[in-house]
Amino acid sequence: MEYKPMPYPIIDSHCHLDFPKFNPDREEAILRARKAGVVGMVNSGISLKGNRMSLELAEKNEDIHASLGLSPDIGREGNDKDVDAIIAQIEANAEKAVGIGEAGLDFQDCKTNEERERQTASFKKVIELAKELNKPLVVHARLAEAEVLKLVRDVDTVIYHCYSGSIETMQEIVDSGYFISLATLVCFSEHHQTLAAEVPLENLLLETDSPFLSPRRGRNEPAFIVDSIPVVAKLKEMEPAEVAKFATENARRVFRI
């Protein structure tokens, strides 16, 4: 399939090229992204293996940057050995990473208070690491956006990846100087379109969260971020090139790339 290149560069601020869904055509997907005008991809690890693969991808490709994280699912399971191994891995490889995360709270999957407490305890370890290392923190917050905000108040730079919460909480997040990353959901979700219309450009990042949330049939991939730019531009009554410019410059500043 051919992708018409965009006339402006864009950074996919959050993807998972390490996931098995890319095993059949990972290199081709990276090439398709470049052809579409994607000038950078932040690959977010969430496990020991995922973090390792993110580092390998970043080492092999100048336009791929690793963020090293800890899945809320691993936190919820509460296995200290697994959590501590990932924390040690992040610490050991921090200088090769542009961000810490994704990590956070996912109350959609937490069924008990005990699970929430375990998840929160693991997330706090990642928060402390981001502060120690002076790296941006990429947060996963599902049905827990406000709870996450209370926990991250002392972190200098926070990116709410795939933000899906309320406009009110989004306002609190941007008032704190933090960033809202909108996924390709904005192409088909009315709620995310409302968020896109309201988020200040200074706080906006764009992402695919691929292989999830595809605006086209089948699996999502970094090339498809180009679909969201005209949608956001229309909502903001701006030129697509201007939206892409803001999102790209924000990503460069946030991740220092």
Side-chain angles (χ1 to χ4, degrees):
M1 193 188 298
E2 284 297 313
Y3 303 108
K4 189 180 177 186
M6 289 286 118
Y8 32 76
I10 186 66
I11 289 176
D12 182 355
S13 72
H14 194 105
C15 60
H16 299 283
L17 287 162
D18 56 293
F19 277 27
K21 284 200 173 181
F22 285 107
N23 286 353
D25 64 342
R26 187 171 285 108
E27 293 305 316
E28 292 89 339
I30 292 167
L31 286 172
R32 284 194 292 270
R34 289 172 184 152
K35 283 181 182 174
V38 179
V39 293
M41 293 159 261
V42 178
N43 200 81
S44 182
I46 58 170
S47 64
L48 269 177
K49 184 181 178 185
N51 287 337
R52 190 165 60 244
M53 280 189 72
S54 294
L55 289 164
E56 286 168 7
L57 283 164
E59 199 174 336
K60 288 179 190 168
N61 301 276
E62 281 188 13
D63 52 357
I64 298 179
H65 311 276
S67 185
L68 305 177
L70 168 67
S71 162
D73 292 337
I74 295 172
R76 187 181 79 240
E77 286 154 12
N79 183 322
D80 284 344
K81 189 179 170 189
D82 290 346
V83 170
D84 291 344
I86 293 171
I87 294 290
Q89 178 196 40
I90 295 171
E91 204 161 10
N93 293 282
E95 78 280 1
K96 300 173 195 167
V98 297
I100 306 301
E102 68 187 275
L105 304 179
D106 192 323
F107 287 173
Q108 178 171 292
D109 293 331
C110 282
K111 304 300 178 199
T112 65
N113 280 336
E114 188 186 357
E115 283 183 330
R116 288 186 177 200
E117 284 165 15
R118 286 201 299 261
Q119 199 174 70
T120 303
S122 298
F123 181 37
K124 282 179 175 176
K125 290 182 180 181
V126 181
I127 293 169
E128 288 310 308
L129 206 51
K131 282 158 60 175
E132 269 174 46
L133 298 167
N134 191 28
K135 295 272 184 182
L137 176 64
V138 180
V139 299
H140 173 116
R142 183 154 54 173
L143 304 184
E145 292 84 5
E147 288 84 353
V148 163
L149 187 57
K150 286 174 192 162
L151 294 170
V152 301
R153 289 279 188 196
D154 292 337
V155 182
D156 281 346
T157 307
V158 178
I159 300 104
Y160 267 75
H161 129 72
C162 192
Y163 184 78
S164 300
S166 69
I167 284 183
E168 292 75 23
T169 301
M170 183 175 79
Q171 191 59 55
E172 285 186 57
I173 293 164
V174 301
D175 285 349
S176 303
Y178 297 153
F179 293 84
I180 297 289
S181 186
L182 294 177
T184 35
L185 272 168
V186 75
C187 296
F188 53 87
S189 159
E190 279 187 28
H191 177 59
H192 290 82
Q193 288 170 5
T194 303
L195 294 171
E198 296 292 330
V199 63
L201 284 164
E202 294 75 17
N203 304 81
L204 173 67
L205 298 173
L206 294 174
E207 65 170 90
T208 58
D209 199 21
S210 51
F212 311 111
L213 313 177
S214 182
R216 309 184 189 185
R217 288 175 65 184
R219 180 198 69 187
N220 203 1
E221 58 181 76
F224 297 174
I225 196 166
V226 300
D227 291 13
S228 62
I229 298 164
V231 175
V232 175
K234 189 175 180 184
L235 291 160
K236 289 196 164 297
E237 300 179 342
M238 292 174 64
E239 288 299 315
E242 276 298 293
V243 168
K245 183 169 179 275
F246 267 98
T248 300
E249 287 179 356
N250 289 344
R252 289 200 188 284
R253 192 170 74 254
V254 169
F255 292 112
R256 301 170 198 156
I257 54 179

